[in-house]
Amino acid sequence: MIARKVITGTSIVALLTVGLVTVVLDDSDPAQAASSCAAPAGVAAGPAPAGGVAGFDGEQMKNAAAIMKAASDLGLPVAAQLIGVQASIGESTLRVIDFGDGAGPDSRGLFQQRANGAWGSYEDRMDPHISATNFFKALQRVEGWDTLEPTIAIHRAQRNADPNHYTQFRAKATEIVKALGGEAAALVDPSGVCPGEGNQIVGDLAGKWVKALPDAVMTSGYGPRPAPPGTAGGVLANFHYGIDFSTPGQAGTILAITDMKIVKIRNLEGMFGTGVTGQTLDGKLTIGMYHMEAGSLKVKEGDTVAAGTPLGTEGATGNVSGRHLHMEFYAGALPNPMIPINATIDPTPILKEKGIL
């Protein structure tokens, strides 16, 4: 164990590092720290860097800038700008194309919008700013768009045969938005969480802890790994952002691992499938528990549950190759953490310290 103190401004921070987990004991004012973490407004897009970004050329970057401006003109945050660029990469590779495909022969423009009256005239669909504006207006009509997995938000704004189609373009969209946003976007976390909180847990994790699946075995650890056969690749292909447990024989009942408040319910939502996100009652840790059986959830958003409370049934929903529980840990109280946007931490040292692994 390594212990050291860091003095920042008027606060003294003691850092205790155990394995990959950093526990931060901070005497600074948490309210003051939180005030600097408000969800950022949309940033102005500057000129495209010479040579392009992430394999996209000057024309494509100009179109990305038009998308970002359309979001900013509507008063939307960086999260929307990212979603817009992500959607356009998935639809047209950021080019204003004058043709459709087999599923939509009348689709046109950056967002491949159909000639059904919902997206304006042909000229509107071929205009980068107008087509982006119409996309964002549709996005705003999606209830809770800013709390959904981005690919699902895009899918609900304009349907795609595969709701998870856009996931693979998130990393490149992030590179583009940061490149065009310059210093204003360099440290932006599009979920509105403080940049750099990453793998720091503030204070000690107290309270009762239990096994989430009492009779299960851990089947996959945290860290680099090839994508399991039968699962989607993309940005999630080569790293496992949590740990997996599976019960031999029949599916087990998944329990709340500690006292927590349920802040997010997912029902057959993208790569997560069905599951819950909970925050420890002290706000020091956010826990995601996914791939549960559809229709098995026993809790709802806003519920406060004790350690050992049944949450649902082990399942195989979402981006999986078989039945199991996938569990992710995030430092702090996050309302809707998503990989790879938010930095995860390895749950293993914490579970071992609590005597449940």
Side-chain angles (χ1 to χ4, degrees), residues 85-144:
V85 174
Q86 181 181 357
S88 183
I89 294 174
E91 293 291 350
S92 67
T93 65
L94 287 173
R95 295 194 186 278
V96 182
I97 55 179
D98 195 14
F99 56 86
D101 57 19
D106 57 347
S107 298
R108 295 293 186 272
L110 282 177
F111 294 89
Q112 285 291 277
Q113 293 161 337
R114 303 290 300 272
N116 56 13
W119 306 103
S121 65
Y122 167 81
E123 290 76 17
D124 291 340
R125 292 180 290 137
M126 293 294 289
D127 182 285
H129 187 272
I130 295 175
S131 63
T133 298
N134 288 334
F135 169 79
F136 288 123
K137 287 180 177 179
L139 181 68
Q140 288 178 293
R141 292 192 291 270
V142 175
E143 183 177 357

Side-chain angles (χ1 to χ4, degrees), residues 260-326:
M260 64 173 69
K261 180 179 180 180
I262 306 300
V263 295
K264 179 70 178 176
I265 292 291
R266 302 185 188 278
N267 288 300
L268 295 176
E269 188 176 304
M271 63 184 177
F272 300 99
T274 295
V276 305
T277 301
Q279 298 171 356
T280 56
L281 300 186
D282 55 14
K284 294 173 182 175
L285 185 69
T286 300
I287 302 168
M289 306 173 78
Y290 307 128
H291 307 319
M292 299 186 199
E293 183 180 302
S296 72
L297 295 182
K298 303 178 184 299
V299 292
K300 62 183 184 301
E301 290 179 6
D303 284 354
T304 297
V305 298
T309 300
L311 302 177
T313 303
E314 181 186 0
T317 56
N319 182 32
V320 298
S321 58
R323 172 176 55 79
H324 70 281
L325 165 67
H326 173 80

Side-chain angles (χ1 to χ4, degrees), residues 106-272:
D106 57 347
S107 298
R108 295 293 186 272
L110 282 177
F111 294 89
Q112 285 291 277
Q113 293 161 337
R114 303 290 300 272
N116 56 13
W119 306 103
S121 65
Y122 167 81
E123 290 76 17
D124 291 340
R125 292 180 290 137
M126 293 294 289
D127 182 285
H129 187 272
I130 295 175
S131 63
T133 298
N134 288 334
F135 169 79
F136 288 123
K137 287 180 177 179
L139 181 68
Q140 288 178 293
R141 292 192 291 270
V142 175
E143 183 177 357
W145 69 266
D146 53 345
T147 66
L148 295 172
E149 186 183 343
T151 188
I152 300 300
I154 298 167
H155 170 67
R156 292 183 183 177
Q158 57 175 54
R159 298 290 176 178
N160 189 289
D162 177 11
N164 298 311
H165 168 68
Y166 305 97
T167 297
Q168 60 192 304
F169 308 113
R170 184 70 177 188
K172 288 189 175 182
T174 302
E175 286 187 61
I176 290 170
V177 169
K178 288 189 174 186
L180 291 174
E183 288 187 17
L187 295 178
V188 159
D189 180 330
S191 69
V193 178
C194 288
E197 282 189 333
N199 60 350
Q200 295 184 342
I201 300 174
V202 180
D204 184 32
L205 292 171
K208 180 182 178 181
W209 286 69
V210 302
K211 291 183 177 181
L213 267 175
D215 299 319
V217 295
M218 191 170 83
T219 55
S220 185
Y222 181 93
R225 71 168 191 185
T231 62
V235 296
L236 309 180
N238 299 311
F239 196 94
H240 192 217
Y241 290 88
I243 56 177
D244 293 345
F245 295 91
S246 181
T247 306
Q250 63 183 16
T253 297
I254 295 170
L255 309 177
I257 197 168
T258 188
D259 299 345
M260 64 173 69
K261 180 179 180 180
I262 306 300
V263 295
K264 179 70 178 176
I265 292 291
R266 302 185 188 278
N267 288 300
L268 295 176
E269 188 176 304
M271 63 184 177
F272 300 99

